[in-house]
Amino acid sequence: MRQQKLHSDESGQMLLAAGLVLLMSLLSMSLYGVKVAGYDLPRTSDVTDVFDAMEEVESLFLPSLENRTQVRFDAGMSLDAAALDSLETIEYDIKSHGVLRGMQFSFTETEVIVDENNVTVNTILNIVSDSTIELPLSVSYDVS
């Protein structure tokens, strides 16, 4: 029967240590590259993006509110409920759109006044990104 002697050989441990050092340095270099490229941060908007978004919402606010209110009123809702529901759906839509652009949209101090077939909506549009803008919106339209 053959007998084996075990002896202490540390050459494998040195190879393992060198491999771990190389692996750690590659990992730290890749993390640094991701941070430099900016892929670890969500998309941020600059001031021009905020102004562009503000202009888009301002230009589309009246036509979309008027159209949605008319559709709901024609479907049998009361004019008060149709105007409020239309405003809520527009706010939901612009909030969802803002998430894609890296901004937060909301309406505050909203007032809906219904006088016979005339609807007046007064609200403040808040756009928050790196900067904050408050834009008062006031629209009036007739529903037939």
Side-chain angles (χ1 to χ4, degrees):
M1 179 182 290
R2 192 170 161 199
Q3 209 176 29
Q4 291 184 340
K5 269 187 167 175
L6 296 176
H7 65 302
S8 178
D9 185 12
E10 295 182 5
S11 63
Q13 290 179 358
M14 293 302 291
L15 184 61
L16 179 64
L20 285 174
V21 168
L22 180 62
L23 183 66
M24 294 301 290
S25 65
L26 288 173
L27 181 63
S28 67
M29 286 176 14
S30 67
L31 288 175
Y32 177 74
V34 166
K35 287 183 179 182
V36 167
Y39 292 130
D40 65 331
L41 300 174
R43 184 189 185 298
T44 58
S45 306
D46 62 2
V47 176
T48 57
D49 289 339
V50 173
F51 282 134
D52 291 343
M54 178 188 68
E55 289 174 0
E56 288 173 11
V57 171
E58 185 179 22
S59 68
L60 296 173
F61 184 67
L62 175 60
S64 59
L65 184 61
E66 187 175 9
N67 186 24
R68 291 179 186 199
T69 303
Q70 186 68 51
V71 168
R72 285 163 176 73
F73 184 69
D74 291 344
M77 291 179 77
S78 69
L79 190 53
D80 292 338
L84 284 173
D85 189 54
S86 298
L87 187 63
E88 288 174 2
T89 60
I90 289 172
E91 184 176 16
Y92 176 79
D93 288 347
I94 65 172
K95 281 182 180 179
S96 300
H97 183 70
V99 168
L100 298 174
R101 293 183 130 183
M103 299 177 213
Q104 295 177 347
F105 291 92
S106 65
F107 291 135
T108 57
E109 300 178 27
T110 302
E111 178 184 30
V112 178
I113 302 166
V114 177
D115 183 28
E116 293 182 13
N117 287 343
N118 187 8
V119 178
T120 303
V121 176
N122 300 314
T123 189
I124 296 176
L125 172 66
N126 301 299
I127 304 173
V128 179
S129 181
D130 292 338
S131 58
T132 302
I133 294 178
E134 292 182 348
L135 176 69
L137 295 173
S138 181
V139 295
S140 183
Y141 57 96
D142 291 322
V143 177
S144 54

